[in-house]
Amino acid sequence: SNGSKIHAVIKEKVDHKTVPAVFIRGEFVGGCDAIKSLYAKGKLTEKINVHRKVVAGDVMDTAKLLIPPRGKAIHALFWFPPTVNDYVVRVVGCQVFTLCVISAIFHEEDIAKWIAVFVLIDFVTRFLVGSSLSVLGMIATVLTAHWTPSFKPGPPKQFASFCGVMFSTVAVCCYFTGHELWGAVVIAMLAGAAGLEGFVGFCLGCLFYSWGIQFGLIPDYVYRIYTSSRQETVDSWNYLHLETKSNAIAPTTIIKSTSSKIDLKYKQKTDEWTLSDFHVVRNMQVGYFAMPLALSGLAATFKLSSNWIRDFVDVSGENKTFLEDTYWKVTSVTSAVVFIIMFALYSIRFLMYPGKCATEWDCPLRGPLFGTITITVMMLSFLLDDVHNDETIADDSSDITRGFFFVGAIVHTALTIMKGGEWIGRRLELEHVHATWIVLPVGLAVASFCLPVLYSGDIDGPLDDVILAARFFYGFASLMWVALFTITFFKVVTTHNSDDRIRHSLSTWIAAPCVIGMADYFICTTTSAYDMAISIEQCKGAFVQNYFIGIMFFFIFVWASMPQINFFGREKFNMNYWTECFALDTLAAASAIFHLIVDDNEKTGFFFVFLTIAVIANIVAFMHTLVSMIHRRSVFTPEVKWGPLSFMKLTHEAFRGVIPKLSDALAALEASDDLAIKEFAALFSQFSIVHEEHAKAEDKVIFKTFNDYFKDHAKKWNDDHSEDHEKMMKWHASINILLGPNKHDNAKAEALRNLKAELPVFFEHFLEHMRGEEDNLQPIGRKHLPLEVTKQISRDVFHLSSAEVLEVILPFVVNNVPRKQQRVRYLKCLCWSLPERAQQIGAIVYRNVDAVMWEQIRVEIPEIIPRGEYNWRRYY
């Protein structure tokens, strides 16, 4: 009964208006978020003076921290994030409110039902994935990009999106069954709920969700991932967007000797510099041309779906739908503008940084992507061509577009020849074979597709030069596509594909058959006009066969993206996603032709489905690109490079994470506090074990390899390890004295004084030591060691430690690195080199982390799930 009075006093005293209001020993700490933040930072036990339970022991080696209670945690359904930005949610609510009001007011007009359909589609994407694949969500993300996010729990917002799916589904059904008034009523109710969310910040769906928890319909631990990881999410955002800008230090070039051209030379670069190095020329990458390529592909899809296509395709059936010319013309201009800007930037880069361009050309992954430039040139030539029928005589503008086309086609052919020669002449590992290579046969197929269109009024017969040229491109494209698909399929199945960024290129498996099928159809139909032995039905059959191959790959990739496999879409947006947009464009374009040549209208539904998917994908990718440019992240910045050896640097990050904990525990240590001593001993025992194993791995395996390449380059750090080992033995002895039975022994006081005097100095030295290794030794592993050598080093390091020691090392790193991305990458590094040990690694992690951390890791790296745990799959 006095609750309201107490609350009023609290508001007056500490200006805290919500509940709970937490005080610890008379000191106001804050509310729920403040307690969660202290818990996430490991400072809550310090505040309330409660020590973690330890396994008691007479010496340091037997003192171990007990594993915290596992608890329960559950991830949101499908791909929905556990944490959302409340500002984005509210702006989306305002947009939905506006659209629903328009639909309700104009419910008797056709626009009302199509607005309802759009709202339904957007609700479905937000229910499945969140805002990252939603058109409205990404518009809201762009509008709020300059604001610091306000993070809120994801599960109730997903339930609210599900409610939106239900309401919008009913509204759509009413609109399309002639019950427009009822549709308007339902959509108006949805507008009311969205308006409350957008303008007031009251989530009606979240209210129902909380009732579900109260009545036991929804487990109460659905929030646990959010509550346990919210502070880490905030810290990660601050690090990426604030701290990296303030802590970025310009790189320094180190030249060890000038006596020979092959002497060691490298740059010392910090992660903060790499993340914040935004430069539109220096960091313009050839892979960025996937953006204008995808936009031109979407424009081509619109063009093939317009009345323009009637002159090139034998339209079957009645009531075929054609898009307005405005769509492809506007998109064509957009893609041309983007291409011109990027081409100008890359040309300047070539003049200013020719070495960087040469590095991209030599790279097995990026080199073939130069073909995206030439493909875009050919696509723009197709889009800008003015030929409409066989009787039209090409005017000056057509001559210009044909000239541009041949520039693109000839250069692309030259690229294909040069790269093909390199693949034959250079020795590469299987992991260096990438699906980006298929860009080259796709470009040849685009050339064979464009030629019959550009010269449709000038072809004289089945052996006309144009047809021969088209078959020249088509023949090698079809052969090369089959060969490269076979190799890349074998590579994907047999290697680990640990780096998510290379997985996007697999979308060329969709693009290649679709483009080859369309090229074959246009060549065939053009030839059939002069050769009676070739029927239109034969042309249709060959096209449909390739088109269905593309559809099959699409559904295979959808299944591979499902949460139980989670092969695609796990990483945040980068420009590689535009490659997938282009693949979807080609599938939509092939669907447009299929829609026109098939009599059965029911079979043409694929066209509207794939066109919708392609449009949404391109719009969302465009919005993501804008957000990345606003944040100055992921676009025009260097890629963060990592590989099998990166686990060593991530171990350094774990050391950096645990040193402040050790320092705080040491500063508060008293000789009479047995529990504090045991906790410190257990924590320092973990630190010393990992430190010793880390030094042993560097001395016996990693630095030995570095010294083999560059004599004595790692000697300084080898010497540090020897000195540090002696100090560790001394501190072990001091801690064992503290663990002794006498509380007021002079030896204890002396040991504690020595520890407090010497350990902080060592910690400073060790931080400097790690920085020196990263500055001077890491570049060797990245620049000079082949991939297979780094994988072998990783294997040797893993096998150097016993299973008992691994049970300490892996949890130590996973629990002490500050960000989820780092712990996921650490485990991926190990699995990259040791895929056969992935489930052993997963079992160790599972035994030593709580349910929240396991859920986060399991979703990202499903291959480490051990036998008996949910979603386990046997590794044969």
Side-chain angles (χ1 to χ4, degrees):
S1 60
N2 293 326
S4 59
K5 295 180 180 178
I6 294 173
H7 191 207
V9 172
I10 290 174
K11 285 194 290 185
E12 181 181 349
K13 294 291 185 182
V14 297
D15 194 28
H16 184 75
K17 300 178 181 179
T18 61
V19 292
V22 181
F23 293 80
I24 297 177
R25 286 189 290 276
E27 178 190 354
F28 177 66
V29 177
C32 181
D33 286 345
I35 296 298
K36 293 174 188 173
S37 176
L38 286 171
Y39 176 78
K41 293 178 178 178
K43 295 185 178 296
L44 184 58
T45 54
E46 177 186 327
K47 275 278 185 185
I48 59 179
N49 198 26
V50 173
H51 297 291
R52 286 182 60 182
K53 292 183 179 179
V54 298
V55 178
D58 297 330
V59 294
M60 192 183 78
D61 292 341
T62 60
K64 298 179 181 178
L65 291 171
L66 289 179
I67 301 170
R70 183 167 190 82
K72 292 183 178 181
I74 187 172
H75 226 278
L77 298 175
F78 302 105
W79 306 271
F80 202 89
T83 304
V84 297
N85 183 352
D86 190 52
Y87 295 138
V88 172
V89 172
R90 293 188 62 175
V91 174
V92 168
C94 294
Q95 294 177 85
V96 172
F97 170 81
T98 303
L99 292 172
C100 290
V101 167
I102 294 173
S103 179
I105 292 174
F106 299 100
H107 62 273
E108 294 182 353
E109 305 293 333
D110 283 345
I111 190 176
K113 62 183 182 182
W114 294 116
I115 289 177
V117 169
F118 172 75
V119 170
L120 171 60
I121 293 173
D122 203 76
F123 266 118
V124 169
T125 57
R126 277 185 281 122
F127 168 68
L128 294 174
V129 186
S131 63
S132 61
L133 268 182
S134 157
V135 174
L136 297 182
M138 286 312 303
I139 292 173
T141 304
V142 171
L143 295 175
T144 61
H146 285 293
W147 302 348
T148 301
S150 173
F151 294 110
K152 300 294 181 182
K157 300 301 181 183
Q158 186 179 32
F159 180 77
S161 296
F162 176 74
C163 295
V165 171
M166 295 295 100
F167 273 82
S168 53
T169 299
V170 172
V172 168
C173 292
C174 291
Y175 277 132
F176 281 87
T177 56
H179 300 85
E180 290 84 0
L181 183 58
W182 284 108
V185 171
V186 175
I187 209 78
M189 295 170 64
L190 184 58
L196 286 174
E197 175 79 76
F199 299 111
V200 184
F202 177 76
C203 177
L204 191 60
C206 301
L207 176 64
F208 291 127
Y209 191 81
S210 65
W211 290 349
I213 294 177
Q214 290 179 18
F215 291 115
L217 301 175
I218 301 171
D220 57 2
Y221 51 82
V222 292
Y223 285 108
R224 193 174 174 208
I225 293 180
Y226 164 76
T227 55
S228 298
S229 61
R230 183 186 184 279
Q231 185 60 45
E232 182 181 303
T233 304
V234 172
D235 293 342
S236 296
W237 192 93
N238 289 336
Y239 172 77
L240 290 173
H241 297 89
L242 300 177
E243 295 177 21
T244 52
K245 296 177 182 178
S246 59
N247 297 331
I249 301 174
T252 303
T253 301
I254 303 297
I255 302 175
K256 302 302 290 185
S257 172
T258 57
S259 60
S260 172
K261 291 182 179 180
I262 65 171
D263 284 336
L264 181 60
K265 176 182 177 181
Y266 56 90
K267 286 185 178 180
Q268 295 178 342
K269 291 191 291 188
T270 63
D271 289 342
E272 289 76 16
W273 168 265
T274 300
L275 289 169
S276 60
D277 180 24
F278 182 87
H279 198 289
V280 295
V281 174
R282 182 173 60 244
N283 296 320
M284 172 65 197
Q285 300 172 22
V286 70
Y288 291 2
F289 282 97
M291 180 181 181
L293 175 63
L295 292 175
S296 63
L298 182 62
T301 301
F302 287 147
K303 189 171 184 177
L304 293 171
S305 308
S306 68
N307 279 298
W308 172 90
I309 195 65
R310 287 181 179 273
D311 296 317
F312 297 92
V313 173
D314 180 28
V315 179
S316 299
E318 302 293 334
N319 301 320
K320 297 296 184 181
T321 302
F322 294 95
L323 301 181
E324 297 291 333
D325 289 350
T326 306
Y327 291 107
W328 71 264
K329 290 181 179 178
V330 171
T331 314
S332 299
V333 172
T334 304
S335 61
V337 170
V338 173
F339 175 76
I340 291 170
I341 293 172
M342 287 193 170
F343 189 79
L345 291 175
Y346 202 83
S347 298
I348 298 172
R349 184 187 195 232
F350 179 77
L351 296 174
M352 295 179 63
Y353 308 99
K356 291 183 178 291
C357 298
T359 300
E360 285 196 304
W361 171 261
D362 289 334
C363 176
L365 173 64
R366 295 184 181 180
L369 293 178
F370 281 89
T372 58
I373 301 174
T374 52
I375 297 174
T376 307
V377 171
M378 292 185 283
M379 294 289 292
L380 292 175
S381 301
F382 162 74
L383 292 168
L384 301 177
D385 180 64
D386 292 326
V387 179
H388 291 283
N389 53 61
D390 292 343
E391 288 77 26
T392 302
I393 299 175
D395 57 13
D396 292 340
S397 61
S398 293
D399 290 337
I400 294 173
T401 56
R402 291 176 182 179
F404 277 119
F405 165 79
F406 274 108
V407 169
I410 293 171
V411 174
H412 191 88
T413 304
L415 292 177
T416 304
I417 292 171
M418 287 186 283
K419 282 299 171 185
E422 287 182 12
W423 298 337
I424 294 172
R426 294 175 62 185
R427 183 170 184 172
L428 298 172
E429 300 289 340
L430 183 61
E431 283 203 46
H432 295 132
V433 178
H434 299 290
T436 54
W437 294 16
I438 299 176
V439 167
L440 298 177
V442 168
L444 295 176
V446 168
S448 62
F449 162 77
C450 292
L451 265 173
V453 176
L454 294 174
Y455 286 87
S456 61
D458 300 330
I459 298 174
D460 298 327
L463 296 179
D464 185 88
D465 289 345
V466 173
I467 297 298
L468 292 177
R471 290 203 176 279
F472 166 78
F473 293 126
Y474 175 83
F476 194 70
S478 56
L479 173 65
M480 201 175 181
W481 144 241
V482 173
L484 290 179
F485 164 71
T486 304
I487 298 171
T488 54
F489 182 80
F490 176 78
K491 182 241 180 169
V492 169
V493 171
T494 57
T495 61
H496 189 252
N497 303 287
S498 298
D499 192 343
D500 292 335
R501 292 171 294 188
I502 69 175
R503 299 180 180 184
H504 302 282
S505 61
L506 296 180
S507 60
T508 54
W509 292 358
I510 295 175
C514 289
V515 177
I516 287 173
M518 289 188 290
D520 181 67
Y521 181 77
F522 274 73
I523 294 172
C524 184
T525 53
T526 303
T527 306
S528 67
Y530 306 97
D531 188 348
M532 300 302 295
I534 301 176
S535 68
I536 294 295
E537 296 305 316
Q538 289 176 311
C539 301
K540 292 179 180 179
F543 160 74
V544 169
Q545 177 177 306
N546 282 286
Y547 169 58
F548 285 164
I549 291 173
I551 287 180
M552 281 298 296
F553 277 127
F554 171 80
F555 286 113
I556 288 171
F557 289 166
V558 169
W559 185 252
S561 302
M562 297 300 287
Q564 73 273 12
I565 301 176
N566 212 12
F567 188 80
F568 293 106
R570 296 196 297 203
E571 61 171 337
K572 292 184 178 181
F573 175 81
N574 56 65
M575 295 297 280
N576 295 318
Y577 276 97
W578 280 104
T579 307
E580 296 174 1
C581 293
F582 175 69
L584 293 172
D585 294 339
T586 61
L587 190 57
S591 300
I593 296 176
F594 182 75
H595 161 66
L596 297 175
I597 65 176
V598 176
D599 291 331
D600 190 351
N601 286 331
E602 293 181 0
K603 291 188 178 70
T604 64
F606 281 130
F607 165 60
F608 299 103
V609 172
F610 289 129
L611 180 63
T612 301
I613 292 173
V615 170
I616 291 175
N618 279 269
I619 292 175
V620 167
F622 193 87
M623 295 291 179
H624 273 293
T625 305
L626 289 179
V627 172
S628 297
M629 293 185 69
I630 293 171
H631 287 159
R632 300 165 73 93
R633 294 291 182 271
S634 301
V635 180
F636 299 119
T637 57
E639 286 190 342
V640 177
K641 298 179 179 64
W642 66 283
L645 273 187
S646 298
F647 76 93
M648 298 303 289
K649 182 177 180 181
L650 291 166
T651 305
H652 288 184
E653 293 297 328
F655 282 130
R656 292 188 178 102
V658 81
I659 283 175
K661 300 176 186 177
L662 279 168
S663 299
D664 292 343
L666 178 65
L669 206 59
E670 295 180 4
S672 59
D673 191 341
D674 286 343
L675 282 176
I677 290 172
K678 289 178 180 178
E679 182 177 354
F680 176 78
L683 189 58
F684 191 81
S685 175
Q686 284 186 342
F687 175 86
S688 62
I689 290 172
V690 179
H691 178 273
E692 289 295 298
E693 289 295 310
H694 182 74
K696 181 172 69 175
E698 289 181 333
D699 291 340
K700 292 187 175 182
V701 181
I702 302 174
F703 292 176
K704 178 184 179 301
T705 305
F706 291 171
N707 287 329
D708 289 343
Y709 274 76
F710 300 99
K711 185 178 179 180
D712 292 337
H713 182 63
K715 185 177 185 304
K716 175 185 181 301
W717 293 275
N718 287 123
D719 294 341
D720 279 353
H721 292 162
S722 300
E723 295 173 7
D724 292 346
H725 174 74
E726 295 178 4
K727 294 176 183 177
M728 282 289 178
M729 293 300 98
K730 175 184 175 183
W731 295 324
H732 273 228
S734 297
I735 294 174
N736 285 333
I737 292 173
L738 289 177
L739 289 170
N742 299 322
K743 290 189 176 182
H744 302 291
D745 196 321
N746 290 334
K748 271 193 174 185
E750 181 67 21
L752 183 58
R753 279 195 297 271
N754 291 336
L755 287 173
K756 289 193 173 188
E758 295 172 3
L759 276 179
V761 177
F762 168 75
F763 290 150
E764 289 297 323
H765 152 76
F766 187 47
L767 291 171
E768 184 180 348
H769 169 90
M770 291 189 293
R771 181 75 262 169
E773 289 184 352
E774 292 163 9
D775 286 344
N776 298 283
L777 302 181
Q778 182 184 340
I780 296 177
R782 189 176 68 246
K783 295 288 188 181
H784 294 274
L785 300 188
L787 177 62
E788 190 56 39
V789 173
T790 63
K791 289 166 63 177
Q792 187 59 51
I793 290 174
S794 181
R795 296 186 198 106
D796 292 343
V797 168
F798 184 87
H799 294 304
L800 200 62
S801 301
S802 66
E804 183 180 3
V805 172
L806 289 173
E807 201 82 27
V808 177
I809 295 174
L810 297 184
F812 177 86
V813 177
V814 168
N815 284 307
N816 287 296
V817 291
R819 290 179 288 281
K820 183 185 80 170
Q821 183 184 18
Q822 292 176 315
R823 64 182 68 103
V824 168
R825 185 162 292 175
Y826 173 77
L827 296 173
K828 280 188 175 183
C829 290
L830 299 179
C831 294
W832 191 339
S833 305
L834 299 141
E836 72 281 0
R837 297 278 187 164
Q839 294 185 13
Q840 177 193 354
I841 293 167
I844 294 173
V845 173
Y846 180 85
R847 287 192 290 265
N848 292 279
V849 300
D850 63 12
V852 170
M853 190 170 292
W854 174 252
E855 276 296 303
Q856 292 178 320
I857 292 171
R858 174 191 68 80
V859 169
E860 295 285 341
I861 325 173
E863 56 266 29
I864 72 169
I865 298 173
R867 180 187 284 271
E869 174 60 3
Y870 169 73
N871 203 31
W872 168 77
R873 293 293 184 272
R874 183 171 181 175
Y875 181 85
Y876 288 93

